[in-house]
Amino acid sequence: MIAKSLPAYALLCLLSACATPGVVTDANWPRESSNIDGYDLAATERVLNYGLTQIQAKAIESPFLERFVLLGLRGLSDIDPTFTVVEVGGRIQTYVGETLTSELTKPQLNTVDEWLDIFQGSIIGARRQSDPIRRANEEEIYATFFSTALENFDPYSRYAGRLQARSNREVRNGFGGLGLSYSTSDLGLEVRAVQPGSPAIAAGLRAGDLITHVDGQTVATKRSWTILRLLRGSVGSKSLLTVLRGQLSGAKQVEITRSLIVPQTVEASLEDDVAVIKIHSFNQQTSKTVQTEFVNLRRQAPSVSALILDLRGDPGGLLDQAVAVSDLFMDTGAIVSTIGRHPESIQRYQAFAGDITAGLPIAVLVDSRSASAAEIVAAAIQDTGRGVIVGTSTYGKGTVQTVIRLPNDGEITLTWSRFHAPDGYAIEDLGVLPMVCTSGAEQSPTEIIQNWQKSSSQFAAQRSRWRTVRASDIKARSALREQCPAQVRDDDSIDLDIAKSLISNKEKYAQAVGLTATTAAQKEQ
């Protein structure tokens, strides 16, 4: 039975002993060493031990440690395609080509430490026979191990090395920078826009300026990553820019002090007397910016009569920001609940009193790319009867990820809970059902609304099925989504026109909100 499951060369080695003297076994595995031939065992153990321990404790499903480690180990074939792993009679064997490089006893207690021994011993053996694996540094080993294992775990768990993790943190939390966007040219960096309230504004920079040098270094020939390193730095640090304005003469030196720059995720505008706020993603400043932008719009136009929240194309982001944005427009009610294995992943979020719109009508625009945090906001607004949803079924990304920072400064983004809408349904693989569906819309906004009014009684039945379908019934969930097929609609003005029509007509809006409020109330009872 074993023979049938082994590659031919592995069977040959099992029968005729192909191992070299360098094969790693239980007897000669150098566990006390911290560095072997340039491979830092101690550092690798710290990173892998911490990562595996956290995954074991926090993953939404308890990971089968053996499968996880062996998948990660097999990932070394990305570095050397001749590397393979087989299990023979309670032993884990690794081969490079047809040469046995390690043979270790399968752990009995199934602990992280035991499986780390398997991994480390296998790496040591492989390095003795494989040039590509020997040349791979520790960072490449981490990336190969975690990425291969996590991609077989779930679609949203992933590993990021030091540089990518730093970039991820900057997107989430901000970075020390100047607050400008630019394009590169043969002459330098052409400023395209400056962020309000940023150091660039304070230093007098404006769109059209050309930056030729940063701290005396020319930027025209630099790679993009090098340019970022020159422009970014610690908050409060200073930099000297050489700037040209207008004709290529009269360069001036501009000293600028870096501050915390958080990428802008919010745009705001007025459409007649309707405030339109588009959220591109959710980072740590999103809710604060939404509030500021709405207040500014209302200051410009005190007659603002409604709000359209455009979440089309929004892939999501931080959970706490989704909760905070929802809470801006709600006086009471549930926002979202999260459920996982780890005690800290089990949370229920409720709205606090204080609606910044003072009860104005709200319409939320969604499409197939509205995901995660965007779906939390849409579901909270709809399920509590606070507003109406217009568009198509959303993405259906109903899981929450936690970020685990590793000792090497890389990070694991790990799925650790599922979130549930106020009505109680799991959003994973289902999404949010719009009140007014615009999938494949070929009619005018007026005709779409008229048809919706005629068939609005069907919405309650659809919503009932949406709320009660089992999370495990993928076929039924897929069929429900087809009632309003998910489509990309972020450039379609029909959604916006329909939203305006609904929120400007008290009777239509009351009818729409009444249907969602009724289903939410039924759930409360």
Side-chain angles (χ1 to χ4, degrees), residues 40 115 183 193 218 252 321 329 371 437:
D40 193 337
W115 279 106
S183 57
T218 181
K252 63 177 181 177
Q321 289 298 303
F329 311 115
C437 179

Side-chain angles (χ1 to χ4, degrees), residues 273-275 294 298 301-308 328-331 355-363 381 385-388 503 509 513:
D273 62 346
V274 175
F294 181 79
R298 207 160 197 183
S303 61
V304 165
S305 61
L307 168 67
I308 294 176
L328 290 175
F329 311 115
M330 297 169 58
D331 266 324
D355 172 0
I356 64 170
T357 73
L360 292 181
I362 295 177
I381 295 293
R386 180 59 189 91
V388 297
I503 57 183
Y509 183 75
V513 170

Side-chain angles (χ1 to χ4, degrees), residues 139-170:
E139 288 298 319
E140 292 173 282
I141 298 297
Y142 305 149
T144 300
F145 174 77
F146 283 120
S147 295
T148 305
L150 289 169
E151 73 183 14
N152 286 275
F153 183 64
D154 82 278
Y156 307 113
S157 294
R158 59 193 180 276
Y159 170 80
R162 281 187 302 220
L163 294 180
Q164 183 60 51
R166 181 189 305 167
S167 177
N168 293 345
R169 287 190 285 271
E170 288 175 352

Side-chain angles (χ1 to χ4, degrees), residues 441-487:
E442 296 180 355
Q443 300 168 307
S444 69
T446 300
E447 289 173 320
I448 291 173
I449 291 178
Q450 287 174 345
N451 290 336
W452 164 75
Q453 285 183 294
K454 292 175 183 177
S455 60
S456 60
S457 59
Q458 298 176 10
F459 181 77
Q462 289 177 323
R463 288 270 291 157
S464 177
R465 292 192 294 271
W466 207 270
R467 295 197 321 270
T468 56
V469 64
R470 287 178 293 133
S472 60
D473 195 341
I474 303 300
K475 184 177 180 180
R477 294 168 85 81
S478 178
L480 283 175
R481 285 175 62 80
E482 288 306 308
Q483 295 176 1
C484 182
Q487 293 180 350

Side-chain angles (χ1 to χ4, degrees), residues 22 54 73 112 124 194 271 296 320 328 362 371 448:
Q54 291 292 303
L73 185 58
V112 168
I124 293 168
V194 290
E271 300 269 350
N296 288 340
D320 66 330
L328 290 175
I362 295 177
I448 291 173

Side-chain angles (χ1 to χ4, degrees), residues 205-441:
L205 295 179
R206 64 192 189 197
D209 286 348
L210 184 71
I211 300 171
T212 61
H213 295 75
V214 178
D215 293 328
Q217 296 189 49
T218 181
V219 291
T221 59
K222 295 287 193 296
R223 294 178 180 272
S224 58
W225 180 251
T226 303
I227 293 170
L228 280 180
R229 286 173 55 193
L230 288 172
L231 294 177
R232 295 180 181 180
S234 58
V235 173
S237 63
K238 297 182 183 297
S239 194
L240 190 65
L241 309 182
T242 303
V243 180
L244 293 173
R245 178 167 294 166
Q247 301 299 318
L248 299 181
S249 60
K252 63 177 181 177
Q253 304 295 308
V254 176
E255 186 178 71
I256 192 165
T257 302
R258 296 179 180 86
S259 68
L260 179 65
I261 303 297
V262 179
Q264 291 181 303
T265 63
V266 178
E267 293 180 43
S269 61
L270 282 169
E271 300 269 350
D272 299 321
D273 62 346
V274 175
V276 180
I277 295 180
K278 182 168 182 62
I279 302 178
H280 295 280
S281 62
F282 290 78
N283 66 18
Q284 71 164 4
Q285 291 293 315
T286 299
S287 63
K288 180 179 179 181
T289 306
V290 168
Q291 182 169 8
T292 300
E293 292 292 350
F294 181 79
V295 170
N296 288 340
L297 289 177
R298 207 160 197 183
R299 187 178 295 121
Q300 295 172 36
S303 61
V304 165
S305 61
L307 168 67
I308 294 176
L309 201 57
D310 190 349
L311 303 180
R312 293 174 297 178
D314 186 330
L318 300 178
L319 169 65
D320 66 330
Q321 289 298 303
V323 172
V325 168
S326 302
D327 196 16
L328 290 175
F329 311 115
M330 297 169 58
D331 266 324
T332 186
I335 295 175
V336 69
S337 60
T338 63
I339 302 172
R341 284 194 310 122
H342 195 278
E344 293 178 10
S345 73
I346 303 171
Q347 303 287 342
R348 292 178 63 86
Y349 298 92
Q350 298 284 134
F352 293 95
D355 172 0
I356 64 170
T357 73
L360 292 181
I362 295 177
V364 181
L365 308 184
V366 296
D367 70 357
S368 64
R369 293 187 296 168
S370 303
S372 187
E375 293 176 289
I376 288 175
V377 175
I381 295 293
Q382 177 163 261
D383 287 4
T384 56
R386 180 59 189 91
V388 297
I389 310 298
V390 176
T392 80
S393 292
T394 59
Y395 185 87
K397 194 267 182 184
T399 55
V400 182
Q401 285 66 46
T402 186
V403 177
I404 300 166
R405 191 162 180 172
L406 298 171
N408 70 324
D409 219 24
E411 63 184 30
I412 292 171
T413 301
L414 181 71
T415 298
W416 79 328
S417 65
R418 291 185 178 87
F419 62 79
H420 296 250
D423 264 3
Y425 65 91
I427 288 175
E428 182 71 1
D429 297 324
L430 187 61
V432 178
L433 174 67
M435 167 68 71
V436 181
C437 179
T438 61
S439 297

